[in-house]
Amino acid sequence: MTASPDTNQYDIYSIFNHHIAYEIRLQQALEEDLLCPFHYFGITDLEINGEVFDDNAGVKNFSNLISDARVDYVIEKANYYGFSGDRVKGLIFCSRKDEAKELSKKFNERGLRTEVLTGEDNQERRENVIARLTDDEKIDNQLDYIFTVDIFNEGVDIPEINQVIMLRPTQSPVVFVQQLGRGLRKCERKEYVVVLDFIGNYMNNFMIPIALSGDRSYNKDAMRRYIREGARVIPGSSTIHFDEISKKRIYASIDAARTNDMRLLKESYKTLKYKLGRIPTIQDFKKFGSVDVTKIFEKCGSYHNFLKKYEKEYHVHLTKQQENIIEYFSKKLIAYKRIHEMELLRILIDQKDRILYYQRLLQEKYHVGMNEQVEESVLRNLKNEFPKEEERRKYSNCVLIEKNDDGSYSLSSKFQEELSDNNFKEMILELLNFGIDQWKEKYGQTYRDTNFTLYQKYTYEDVCRLLNWKKNLNAQNIGGYYYDSDTKTLPVFINYHKAEDAIAYEDRFVSEGHLIALSKHPRKVTSSDAVHIYKQSEEDKNNRIFLFIRKNKDDNEAKEFYFLGEIFAEGSPRQIYMEKTKDNAFEIDYRLDVPVRSDIYDYIVSD
C-alpha cells in the first residue's frame, strides 16, 4: 500500500506484477467521504518594496522572505481564515531550511509557539515536536505550528492538523497533493482543514489546478477552466477560492508554461508504462489519466517517432513514406475537429470497397450533415489540396482518397499499397479511432448547421478548413476578419487584451450578448467591408459572420480562439478617426446569437 506510487524513480508496480488491487485518487476519496473536507484559499503573496516573490526571491533578496511585513501578513491571513477546532494545529511548508528557522523565530517573537523540523532532526526529536503539536492536555508545552521544508511530504500521519500554510512555489502536482494531504486525515473534533497557499509570480503556478483537479493531461484549457470553476466542481463540502490577483498570476503561468516539455512527456510516459507493465497504447494515455498524448504528437511528430527514439523495447520499423503519413495523421488529420474525413477513411480501410452512401451514413451514425461545400472540402483535405504550399510539399505522400466517376469514394492506390503492412495499418486505425473519440468528446455537439462547437478553441487554419474555404490562408492575410465570397462567410478574430504597443483597437463587450468591434483601417463606412458586414447588397444577404475570441496572444503553445457562435451587425456603422494611426475606421455593434457563457465571459473580460 502506498499513497504516492508515481513519485518513485523505479517501477514500484513491478513488485506486484503490475496488478493493482485498488486505486483511489483525491477527487474520488472526497466524493466517498474518506477524507476530511478542505477549504483552499489561493492568496496573493505580499509585495515588498515593489518586489513580487518569484522563483529567485530567496537568491535575490532573502531578507524579503523573512521580513517583518511578510510575517505579519501571513499571521494576519492565518487568523482571518481560521481553523476547525479549539486551537490551531498547523503545518507550514517553506522553500528552504534557513527561511523556516527565521520565520519560526519571528512567529515565536509574536507570541505564537512554533518549532522547525528538517531532515537534520533525529526520530526522537521529530516525535517529541509532533506530540507537542497534537497534545491537548499539557497547555504550557503545546505548539501552534511546525515549520518544515519537505520531511512531511509523505509517510507522516498527523490527523490533528487543521491548518496547512504553503509559503513555497509548487514543485509538482504530486508534491502539492502530498503536502495538502497532511491535513486531510479525519480526526475527532476536526470538521475541515484550512489550506492557505501564498501565491507569488512562480513559474510552476500552473501546477496548482493540475494538483487540485487531478487532471494530469496538462491541457491548458482544462487548467484555466478549473481556476474559473474549481469551487463548483470540487466534490463534497470542500471549497476552492482564489483572489483576483492570484488568478491572474496562475493564468500568466499557464500561458507561459511549456507543457510539451520533453522531460515532462518522458516522465509521464515512464509512469504510465510502470503502471501498465507494457508499452502504452495511444488510448491508454486518456484511459489512465496520463498526459494528453497529442502533446507527444506535437513535439515528436508521432507516437511512433517518440517510441523509436526513447523506448528500447520498441522494435517496429516503418518506411520513410509510412512515417510521413503517420506524422500527417498524428499532427494534422486527427486534429481536423471534424468527423467527416476520419470516418470516411476508417470505413474505406475496414471494408476495402467503394462507398456510395457516405452522406446518409454520417447522418445516421453521427447526426451531422454534408452539403456540396463540405464534401468538396473533405476531398481537398484528403487529397492534400487545402494546405499552404510548403505543407503540401512536406506531405506530398498524403493523397489518401479519390472520388470515382459514379460518385463513390475509394482509397488511393499508393495509400492502399502502404496499408498492406499490418503494423502501419494498425497504427493508422489506432489514430483514426483516437481522433473519432476526441471528436465525440469535444466537438460532437455542433453549433446549428456548422462544424464548430460553442466554446471550443480553433486556430486560423481550423476556421479556414471548417468554413470550407479552398485554401489555408496566412494569418496576416486574414487580419481581424476576412470575407470569403465562395462560401459567403466572414469570421471575426479578436485578441481581447492587446499588447501595450498595439494599435488601440477598442474591441469591447458591453454585455454577454453585445460586442462593439472595430473594422480594419483605413476603412470608411462606404467600404466593401461595411457592405459585407451589414449585408447591404443583394448578394450579401446570406452572408454569415462568426465570432472567434482569445484573451491575448500570451500563450506560448496554442494560437487558438474560442468559438462564440454567429453574430449579427445591428444599426449602422459609426465612422471614427484613429488618432494613433491617423486614419479612419468604423465601429460595429454586434449582437451575439448566443450570449457568452458566464465563466468564459468572465475569463475573457477580466484584466
PDB file of all heavy atoms in Angstrom, residues 257-267 295 299 557:
ATOM      1  N   ALA A 257       3.606  28.371 -19.634  1.00  0.00           N
ATOM      2  CA  ALA A 257       4.072  27.006 -19.352  1.00  0.00           C
ATOM      3  C   ALA A 257       4.420  26.247 -20.630  1.00  0.00           C
ATOM      4  O   ALA A 257       3.727  26.360 -21.642  1.00  0.00           O
ATOM      5  CB  ALA A 257       3.001  26.245 -18.575  1.00  0.00           C
ATOM      6  N   ARG A 258       5.468  25.464 -20.552  1.00  0.00           N
ATOM      7  CA  ARG A 258       5.859  24.582 -21.658  1.00  0.00           C
ATOM      8  C   ARG A 258       5.363  23.177 -21.320  1.00  0.00           C
ATOM      9  O   ARG A 258       6.100  22.345 -20.793  1.00  0.00           O
ATOM     10  CB  ARG A 258       7.371  24.619 -21.852  1.00  0.00           C
ATOM     11  CG  ARG A 258       7.897  25.972 -22.308  1.00  0.00           C
ATOM     12  CD  ARG A 258       9.416  25.990 -22.390  1.00  0.00           C
ATOM     13  NE  ARG A 258       9.901  24.994 -23.343  1.00  0.00           N
ATOM     14  CZ  ARG A 258      10.887  24.153 -23.081  1.00  0.00           C
ATOM     15  NH1 ARG A 258      11.471  24.152 -21.896  1.00  0.00           N
ATOM     16  NH2 ARG A 258      11.288  23.279 -23.986  1.00  0.00           N
ATOM     17  N   THR A 259       4.102  22.933 -21.633  1.00  0.00           N
ATOM     18  CA  THR A 259       3.505  21.653 -21.246  1.00  0.00           C
ATOM     19  C   THR A 259       3.846  20.525 -22.210  1.00  0.00           C
ATOM     20  O   THR A 259       3.426  19.390 -21.996  1.00  0.00           O
ATOM     21  CB  THR A 259       1.971  21.782 -21.136  1.00  0.00           C
ATOM     22  OG1 THR A 259       1.442  22.208 -22.396  1.00  0.00           O
ATOM     23  CG2 THR A 259       1.592  22.788 -20.060  1.00  0.00           C
ATOM     24  N   ASN A 260       4.567  20.851 -23.280  1.00  0.00           N
ATOM     25  CA  ASN A 260       5.074  19.777 -24.148  1.00  0.00           C
ATOM     26  C   ASN A 260       6.583  19.623 -23.975  1.00  0.00           C
ATOM     27  O   ASN A 260       7.275  19.143 -24.874  1.00  0.00           O
ATOM     28  CB  ASN A 260       4.714  20.039 -25.612  1.00  0.00           C
ATOM     29  CG  ASN A 260       5.311  21.333 -26.128  1.00  0.00           C
ATOM     30  OD1 ASN A 260       5.923  22.098 -25.380  1.00  0.00           O
ATOM     31  ND2 ASN A 260       5.151  21.601 -27.423  1.00  0.00           N
ATOM     32  N   ASP A 261       7.074  20.024 -22.817  1.00  0.00           N
ATOM     33  CA  ASP A 261       8.487  19.849 -22.490  1.00  0.00           C
ATOM     34  C   ASP A 261       8.832  18.360 -22.525  1.00  0.00           C
ATOM     35  O   ASP A 261       8.102  17.525 -21.973  1.00  0.00           O
ATOM     36  CB  ASP A 261       8.748  20.431 -21.098  1.00  0.00           C
ATOM     37  CG  ASP A 261      10.174  20.214 -20.639  1.00  0.00           C
ATOM     38  OD1 ASP A 261      11.053  20.907 -21.143  1.00  0.00           O
ATOM     39  OD2 ASP A 261      10.381  19.334 -19.774  1.00  0.00           O
ATOM     40  N   MET A 262       9.940  18.029 -23.153  1.00  0.00           N
ATOM     41  CA  MET A 262      10.270  16.619 -23.352  1.00  0.00           C
ATOM     42  C   MET A 262      10.484  15.883 -22.034  1.00  0.00           C
ATOM     43  O   MET A 262      10.127  14.704 -21.901  1.00  0.00           O
ATOM     44  CB  MET A 262      11.513  16.495 -24.239  1.00  0.00           C
ATOM     45  CG  MET A 262      11.849  15.058 -24.619  1.00  0.00           C
ATOM     46  SD  MET A 262      10.435  14.151 -25.330  1.00  0.00           S
ATOM     47  CE  MET A 262      10.292  14.992 -26.900  1.00  0.00           C
ATOM     48  N   ARG A 263      11.049  16.551 -21.056  1.00  0.00           N
ATOM     49  CA  ARG A 263      11.248  15.901 -19.755  1.00  0.00           C
ATOM     50  C   ARG A 263       9.905  15.497 -19.150  1.00  0.00           C
ATOM     51  O   ARG A 263       9.748  14.379 -18.645  1.00  0.00           O
ATOM     52  CB  ARG A 263      11.988  16.845 -18.808  1.00  0.00           C
ATOM     53  CG  ARG A 263      12.257  16.251 -17.424  1.00  0.00           C
ATOM     54  CD  ARG A 263      12.979  17.255 -16.539  1.00  0.00           C
ATOM     55  NE  ARG A 263      12.217  18.478 -16.385  1.00  0.00           N
ATOM     56  CZ  ARG A 263      11.222  18.620 -15.500  1.00  0.00           C
ATOM     57  NH1 ARG A 263      10.881  17.617 -14.708  1.00  0.00           N
ATOM     58  NH2 ARG A 263      10.579  19.767 -15.415  1.00  0.00           N
ATOM     59  N   LEU A 264       8.925  16.390 -19.214  1.00  0.00           N
ATOM     60  CA  LEU A 264       7.588  16.090 -18.704  1.00  0.00           C
ATOM     61  C   LEU A 264       6.959  14.929 -19.467  1.00  0.00           C
ATOM     62  O   LEU A 264       6.381  14.014 -18.868  1.00  0.00           O
ATOM     63  CB  LEU A 264       6.701  17.333 -18.817  1.00  0.00           C
ATOM     64  CG  LEU A 264       5.198  17.119 -18.625  1.00  0.00           C
ATOM     65  CD1 LEU A 264       4.896  16.714 -17.194  1.00  0.00           C
ATOM     66  CD2 LEU A 264       4.422  18.372 -19.003  1.00  0.00           C
ATOM     67  N   LEU A 265       7.089  14.941 -20.788  1.00  0.00           N
ATOM     68  CA  LEU A 265       6.489  13.882 -21.602  1.00  0.00           C
ATOM     69  C   LEU A 265       7.127  12.528 -21.305  1.00  0.00           C
ATOM     70  O   LEU A 265       6.427  11.520 -21.179  1.00  0.00           O
ATOM     71  CB  LEU A 265       6.631  14.222 -23.086  1.00  0.00           C
ATOM     72  CG  LEU A 265       5.934  15.504 -23.560  1.00  0.00           C
ATOM     73  CD1 LEU A 265       6.185  15.729 -25.043  1.00  0.00           C
ATOM     74  CD2 LEU A 265       4.441  15.461 -23.275  1.00  0.00           C
ATOM     75  N   LYS A 266       8.441  12.508 -21.168  1.00  0.00           N
ATOM     76  CA  LYS A 266       9.131  11.247 -20.888  1.00  0.00           C
ATOM     77  C   LYS A 266       8.777  10.718 -19.500  1.00  0.00           C
ATOM     78  O   LYS A 266       8.574   9.513 -19.315  1.00  0.00           O
ATOM     79  CB  LYS A 266      10.640  11.442 -21.025  1.00  0.00           C
ATOM     80  CG  LYS A 266      11.101  11.610 -22.470  1.00  0.00           C
ATOM     81  CD  LYS A 266      12.511  12.160 -22.572  1.00  0.00           C
ATOM     82  CE  LYS A 266      13.550  11.183 -22.092  1.00  0.00           C
ATOM     83  NZ  LYS A 266      14.930  11.715 -22.287  1.00  0.00           N
ATOM     84  N   GLU A 267       8.681  11.616 -18.512  1.00  0.00           N
ATOM     85  CA  GLU A 267       8.315  11.181 -17.159  1.00  0.00           C
ATOM     86  C   GLU A 267       6.891  10.637 -17.127  1.00  0.00           C
ATOM     87  O   GLU A 267       6.614   9.624 -16.479  1.00  0.00           O
ATOM     88  CB  GLU A 267       8.457  12.350 -16.184  1.00  0.00           C
ATOM     89  CG  GLU A 267       9.901  12.713 -15.867  1.00  0.00           C
ATOM     90  CD  GLU A 267      10.005  13.908 -14.942  1.00  0.00           C
ATOM     91  OE1 GLU A 267       8.946  14.488 -14.593  1.00  0.00           O
ATOM     92  OE2 GLU A 267      11.136  14.270 -14.560  1.00  0.00           O
ATOM     93  N   LYS A 295       0.252  15.994 -27.132  1.00  0.00           N
ATOM     94  CA  LYS A 295       1.460  16.776 -26.867  1.00  0.00           C
ATOM     95  C   LYS A 295       2.700  16.031 -27.360  1.00  0.00           C
ATOM     96  O   LYS A 295       3.680  16.646 -27.784  1.00  0.00           O
ATOM     97  CB  LYS A 295       1.567  17.108 -25.378  1.00  0.00           C
ATOM     98  CG  LYS A 295       0.461  18.038 -24.897  1.00  0.00           C
ATOM     99  CD  LYS A 295       0.656  18.482 -23.474  1.00  0.00           C
ATOM    100  CE  LYS A 295      -0.469  19.422 -23.069  1.00  0.00           C
ATOM    101  NZ  LYS A 295      -0.467  20.671 -23.866  1.00  0.00           N
ATOM    102  N   LYS A 299       5.212  17.404 -30.289  1.00  0.00           N
ATOM    103  CA  LYS A 299       6.644  17.531 -30.002  1.00  0.00           C
ATOM    104  C   LYS A 299       7.495  16.638 -30.900  1.00  0.00           C
ATOM    105  O   LYS A 299       8.563  17.050 -31.374  1.00  0.00           O
ATOM    106  CB  LYS A 299       6.898  17.163 -28.534  1.00  0.00           C
ATOM    107  CG  LYS A 299       8.300  17.479 -28.046  1.00  0.00           C
ATOM    108  CD  LYS A 299       8.504  18.968 -27.889  1.00  0.00           C
ATOM    109  CE  LYS A 299       9.840  19.279 -27.234  1.00  0.00           C
ATOM    110  NZ  LYS A 299      10.033  20.731 -27.060  1.00  0.00           N
ATOM    111  N   GLU A 557       2.160  28.239 -26.519  1.00  0.00           N
ATOM    112  CA  GLU A 557       1.988  26.983 -27.247  1.00  0.00           C
ATOM    113  C   GLU A 557       0.787  26.998 -28.182  1.00  0.00           C
ATOM    114  O   GLU A 557       0.868  26.517 -29.308  1.00  0.00           O
ATOM    115  CB  GLU A 557       1.841  25.826 -26.251  1.00  0.00           C
ATOM    116  CG  GLU A 557       3.106  25.547 -25.481  1.00  0.00           C
ATOM    117  CD  GLU A 557       2.923  24.484 -24.424  1.00  0.00           C
ATOM    118  OE1 GLU A 557       1.830  23.898 -24.336  1.00  0.00           O
ATOM    119  OE2 GLU A 557       3.875  24.245 -23.683  1.00  0.00           O
TER     120      GLU A 557
END
